[in-house]
Amino acid sequence: MIDRRAVRIEVLLLLGVSLGRSAILSILAIIDRLTYVKPLSEQTATLNPSITPDRPWLDLAYQLVYTGLGFVAPLLAVYLLRRDHENWRLDVRPASDLGYGLGLAALIGLPGLALVWVSRLLGISAQIVPEALGEHWWSVPVLILSALQNGVLEEIVMIAYLLTRLRDLNWHPWTAIVTSAAIRGSYHLYQGFGAGFLGNFVMGLIFGWFYQRTKRVMPLIVAHTILDIVSFVGYALFEKYLKFLR
């Protein structure tokens, strides 16, 4: 028998130290951007910034530590789910995960590029800079690791954990999916209202529906990781050809 009061507290605490915290800070960030002297369209949102560009060795250490710490919340989420749901597990099927992951990445990514462009034209999005690490031997590996961390963190916490816990609380499936998607969009608000909020909200709806139908999160992790690798590494390699997105 699941203690619903304990589950509610657990959900609030886990979100409070992970993506819920990010959502609150992102809401403050968009308020800051909207009340700043420059219009939103003339501002920049950098996703993977350099922390100590004058000391690459320390910058690498910072990047690895920040990325590594990002795996703590999803590990805690898995632990909590396994504690209360003995049959819950990360169902890994390499061929199937890759196939579904590629399909979902294409479904989200191709319209997403158009949304980025339209958002910039309408002035409802900041200029998104996917990476600013500089040209170091470790830049691409760090970006790939960052993409993996994003996929693991967001899909395990926002999809596998949150939808399972909201089901424990007897939420209607679509109420849970919309709530999860709204939180996902909220912690991307610092990028603006187009690809940042709306794009991620739609992504959350599709991913939530997929998980409710299949109860499998690994394809979502694969899809999210692919999307971020293409965005981060693609920008690093082809920045000069992507000026049309600015």
Side-chain angles (χ1 to χ4, degrees):
M1 184 75 176
I2 292 179
D3 184 340
R4 293 181 183 174
R5 180 174 180 275
V7 169
R8 293 188 189 97
I9 294 172
E10 177 194 291
V11 169
L12 291 175
L13 290 176
L14 181 57
L15 291 180
V17 298
S18 59
L19 295 171
R21 173 181 178 272
S22 298
I24 294 171
L25 294 175
S26 191
I27 291 170
L28 292 176
I30 193 62
I31 294 173
D32 179 26
R33 289 185 181 278
L34 292 174
T35 55
Y36 190 56
V37 63
K38 288 184 178 181
L40 180 61
S41 60
E42 295 180 14
Q43 299 178 44
T44 300
T46 304
L47 308 190
N48 291 282
S50 176
I51 299 171
T52 56
D54 58 324
R55 288 155 292 168
W57 60 271
L58 184 59
D59 202 1
L60 173 59
Y62 268 118
Q63 301 295 336
L64 292 176
V65 168
Y66 279 138
T67 302
L69 291 175
F71 286 99
V72 175
L75 286 173
L76 176 58
V78 169
Y79 169 79
L80 293 171
L81 289 178
R82 291 285 294 162
R83 182 194 63 186
D84 292 342
H85 298 270
E86 295 182 0
N87 294 328
W88 191 93
R89 62 191 178 93
L90 289 172
D91 184 12
V92 180
R93 307 175 195 173
S96 176
D97 295 340
L98 182 60
Y100 277 116
L102 286 169
L104 288 166
L107 177 65
I108 298 296
L110 296 177
L113 285 175
L115 183 57
V116 169
W117 183 66
V118 171
S119 299
R120 295 289 295 145
L121 287 180
L122 296 177
I124 60 173
S125 175
Q127 176 185 323
I128 300 173
V129 179
E131 72 87 24
L133 295 181
E135 296 182 0
H136 306 292
W137 65 265
W138 47 263
S139 295
V140 169
V142 164
L143 290 172
I144 293 173
L145 185 60
S146 176
L148 175 62
Q149 182 257 307
N150 288 344
V152 171
L153 170 62
E154 294 189 41
E155 304 318 323
I156 287 183
V157 172
M158 293 310 304
I159 297 295
Y161 172 80
L162 186 58
L163 294 187
T164 300
R165 279 319 203 185
L166 294 182
R167 187 179 70 232
D168 291 339
L169 296 174
N170 288 333
W171 283 40
H172 186 278
W174 273 106
T175 303
I177 290 172
V178 171
T179 300
S180 172
I183 297 173
R184 184 190 295 261
S186 296
Y187 59 74
H188 288 93
L189 261 174
Y190 69 95
Q191 300 173 19
F193 297 98
F197 179 80
L198 180 59
N200 280 282
F201 177 76
V202 173
M203 176 178 172
L205 293 179
I206 294 172
F207 279 19
W209 172 83
F210 180 90
Y211 185 77
Q212 293 284 27
R213 289 291 300 270
T214 66
K215 297 299 183 289
R216 299 189 62 235
V217 73
M218 285 304 299
L220 305 180
I221 293 174
V222 171
H224 194 141
T225 302
I226 291 172
L227 287 169
D228 280 5
I229 288 176
V230 171
S231 175
F232 300 165
V233 179
Y235 185 89
L237 297 177
F238 306 108
E239 177 184 0
K240 62 182 178 181
Y241 302 108
L242 300 176
K243 293 182 180 179
F244 74 94
L245 291 178
R246 297 184 180 182

